[in-house]
Amino acid sequence: MLRTLLAPRWLALHALTVAVVAFTVWAGWWQYGAAQEERQREERQSSAVVPLTDLLAPGAALDERDVDRRVEVAGTWTGAQVTVPGRVLESTMGSHVVAALRLADGSSLAVLRGWVPETQESVDVPAGAVALVGTLRPYETQADSTLAPGTTYDPGELPYAGRDALAETFDLPSGRTYD
């Protein structure tokens, strides 16, 4: 019987069984980690709204643990905004609308105001002071651009909502901008 179990085709079957077991253990741990991350994200989203200044200082990097936290902030729109085309919502192509908010202490914050369909012009930035409740999200990177490289953009459009591009577009003060 031992001779049969050590035959080459049985050894191959044993190796395949070990590989399948190892893969299922790895996949189980990966799924467990993904479920834990989702639970933590949902906890952050359902937590109490806190002032932005309690979590973050101007110029400081956004801590990964604060992503998806709900914050409140008050300020005045600067009047400038850009669109980020190539964003899909419920199977409809459109654009994100991003504007800059100036806080009372002179610091600034880029705010994703919403989404508009491709067929609609973006909505004008309202005048006057506003109080907002929103969710903290990190800046986008070039990898987040959904349009093909080399795409030509209209004035007032950006390929992605990145830190440097928004700072330049909105003339945000260096070191006085919230991440």
Side-chain angles (χ1 to χ4, degrees):
M1 181 165 159
L2 184 59
R3 178 172 272 159
T4 303
L5 291 176
L6 294 176
R9 79 175 149 188
W10 280 101
L11 289 175
L13 183 61
H14 296 319
L16 177 64
T17 302
V18 169
V20 167
V21 168
F23 174 76
T24 56
V25 168
W26 172 83
W29 278 111
W30 172 81
Q31 185 63 37
Y32 176 75
Q36 293 293 31
E37 287 177 16
E38 179 66 19
R39 184 184 58 75
Q40 291 170 354
R41 186 179 71 79
E42 288 173 0
E43 285 176 1
R44 287 190 302 262
Q45 287 178 335
S46 63
S47 63
V49 177
V50 297
L52 174 66
T53 54
D54 288 358
L55 291 179
L56 200 57
L62 177 62
D63 189 327
E64 189 176 307
R65 295 174 300 199
D66 291 329
V67 171
D68 293 320
R69 286 286 307 266
R70 292 175 20 153
V71 296
E72 61 186 357
V73 65
T76 306
W77 296 111
T78 64
Q81 73 179 3
V82 295
T83 57
V84 183
R87 301 301 193 238
V88 177
L89 179 67
E90 297 177 358
S91 302
T92 303
M93 185 63 76
S95 300
H96 282 163
V97 179
V98 181
L101 186 70
R102 181 97 47 212
L103 283 58
D105 66 359
S107 60
S108 298
L109 174 69
V111 177
L112 173 59
R113 292 188 54 224
W115 177 91
V116 293
E118 200 172 57
T119 57
Q120 176 184 334
E121 293 294 319
S122 62
V123 181
D124 291 335
V125 179
V130 294
L132 304 174
V133 173
T135 304
L136 287 177
R137 299 292 305 158
Y139 284 108
E140 292 182 338
T141 64
Q142 189 170 9
D144 294 312
S145 179
T146 58
L147 301 177
T151 300
T152 305
Y153 297 94
D154 294 333
E157 287 184 341
L158 293 175
Y160 59 94
R163 173 185 292 125
D164 295 338
L166 291 173
E168 181 180 327
T169 301
F170 296 139
D171 193 27
L172 300 176
S174 179
R176 299 288 304 144
T177 303
Y178 285 91
D179 205 358

